[in-house]
Amino acid sequence: MKTFFSEDHRRHFPQAELSGGEFVTPFERPSRLEYVLSRLHERGLRDIVAPGAPDMEAIRALCAPDYLAFLETAWSEWKAAGMAGEIIAASFPARRMQTARPPRNIDGKVGYYALAAETAMTGGTWAAALSSAASAQAAQAHVAAGAKSAFALCRPPGHHATADMYGGYCFINNAALVADAFRRDGAQRVAVLDIDFHHGNGTQDIFYGRGDVFFASLHGAPEDAFPYFLGYADETGQGAGEGANANYPMPPGTAYDVWFGALDAALARIRDFGAEALVISLGTDAYKDDPISFFKLDSPDFLDAGVRIGKLGLPTVFCMEGGYAIEQVGINAVNVLEGFLDA
């Protein structure tokens, strides 16, 4: 399996995250990928290449133009306004406020496009987000050209990003880009399976009204886990997308014997949907010692999950998402890949 990875991810490294009422070193940090790369080499998966330039036409087809313009210019506007620190949202358009008029002031504009305050932006965030998207696009092109699978080692991750909002450490939705590319390359039906602990609210939002992309997510119950306001089991799609969205929320303490039941149910739905290509949002924060999650999967469980996914036999692109038990993130992510290959 070929891995696509850009060193430009390092250009996004905020020094602070708001967590538990204090500023901490972000859980999503560059060193996460070092552990994944190390494990890939250790296990002999050494075919690692840099992507080319991002396909901006495809990104513009997925994302709102004003949102992309914001991402590109936010840092220069922030600095021009005399802001000394990193970009962190401080105000949001809440219930019964205006939501159709983006503010001119950059402080207000940040809150308009943010869906949460934990995600800071820096001078290198835009370049890093584009390099992450490019890795996903290159992995999809590789599979569309005939490879059975590919791994996009994306950072920043993407599954919380909608077409017009960032948050949850995500700016451009890499998995959605891949799914959309498979459709444009001729696949009639595509599935996205999100196994990250946190609900893939951005991916759901992008495809919720479409019937050609099936989305399934296994995640912490929204009553208890970020992003809180989406991910309920009764969210099944709307319009043409009715029935093409499946959520599997699970409570604190969920272990693998329950989790793999949800996985098997999601895989059955994907099989019944008739998907011709598969995108995996590969988060490993369902791991038992993850600092911002509450499932109890162990490292061998990720190997078995990969086997179960591999038995679908579909052309598959893996996009790296979360996983914040940093010393185990490489083991757990590569276990999924190896299980998939073993299948």
Side-chain angles (χ1 to χ4, degrees):
M1 185 186 297
K2 182 171 285 190
T3 295
F4 294 85
F5 162 77
S6 173
E7 290 286 352
D8 278 351
H9 81 93
R10 300 179 192 282
R11 298 180 67 178
H12 173 68
F13 188 11
Q15 298 303 294
E17 172 182 337
L18 184 60
S19 176
E22 60 183 350
F23 285 108
V24 301
T25 301
F27 294 101
E28 203 294 294
R29 62 187 79 158
S31 57
R32 296 175 60 242
L33 266 57
E34 297 305 319
Y35 284 94
V36 181
L37 289 168
S38 177
R39 185 65 172 177
L40 287 168
H41 281 282
E42 183 180 326
R43 301 299 295 171
L45 298 171
R46 300 190 179 96
D47 191 0
I48 303 170
V49 298
D55 180 349
M56 293 305 302
E57 182 178 351
I59 293 172
R60 284 190 287 266
L62 188 77
C63 299
D66 60 308
Y67 173 61
L68 292 177
F70 160 76
L71 290 179
E72 184 174 10
T73 63
W75 185 253
S76 60
E77 288 188 57
W78 187 258
K79 287 304 172 184
M83 306 296 195
E86 297 173 341
I87 299 175
I88 298 176
S91 59
F92 301 88
R95 287 184 292 277
R96 294 176 299 282
M97 289 184 176
Q98 293 275 1
T99 59
R101 302 178 186 180
R104 280 194 297 267
N105 184 287
I106 184 60
D107 186 46
K109 196 181 292 187
V110 168
Y112 181 83
Y113 290 109
L115 58 84
E118 83 296 294
T119 302
M121 298 173 67
T122 71
T125 295
W126 173 239
L130 288 180
S131 76
S132 185
S135 293
Q137 291 173 324
Q140 185 278 331
H142 180 63
V143 173
K148 293 183 178 179
S149 61
F151 179 33
L153 185 49
C154 297
R155 181 181 176 274
H159 72 147
H160 292 305
T162 72
D164 58 0
M165 289 185 290
Y166 75 92
Y169 314 132
C170 304
F171 301 93
I172 297 173
N173 195 309
N174 304 309
L177 277 176
V178 172
D180 212 40
F182 274 128
R183 282 288 291 116
R184 286 184 285 102
D185 285 340
Q188 294 301 302
R189 292 191 162 202
V190 179
V192 181
L193 173 62
D194 193 323
I195 63 170
D196 188 282
F197 167 82
H198 300 94
H199 178 246
N201 62 289
T203 315
Q204 172 173 305
D205 185 69
I206 288 169
F207 294 119
Y208 204 62
R210 289 175 55 171
D212 56 341
V213 178
F214 181 84
F215 175 67
S217 178
L218 283 61
H219 52 269
E223 298 94 335
D224 302 302
F226 182 91
Y228 298 113
F229 308 109
L230 278 180
Y232 290 91
D234 60 2
E235 297 161 11
T236 58
Q238 66 182 12
E242 178 59 48
N245 196 87
N247 286 322
Y248 300 88
M250 289 167 275
T254 293
Y256 191 62
D257 59 343
V258 173
W259 192 90
F260 84 71
L263 175 63
D264 285 350
L267 294 172
R269 290 286 302 274
I270 290 168
R271 189 179 296 109
D272 292 344
F273 179 73
E276 299 165 38
L278 179 64
V279 187
I280 303 294
S281 275
L282 177 53
T284 65
D285 40 2
Y287 180 65
K288 62 182 182 179
D289 293 327
D290 195 275
I292 56 174
S293 309
F294 55 60
F295 286 172
K296 299 300 178 184
L297 275 63
D298 207 345
S299 293
D301 298 331
F302 290 97
L303 189 69
D304 182 68
V307 172
R308 292 170 188 267
I309 294 167
K311 286 180 178 178
L312 277 181
L314 293 174
T316 302
V317 172
F318 294 86
C319 291
M320 191 70 200
E321 302 285 3
Y324 309 103
I326 291 181
E327 294 184 3
Q328 285 78 33
V329 67
I331 294 170
N332 295 337
V334 175
N335 274 2
V336 175
L337 303 180
E338 290 194 300
F340 176 89
L341 294 171
D342 289 345

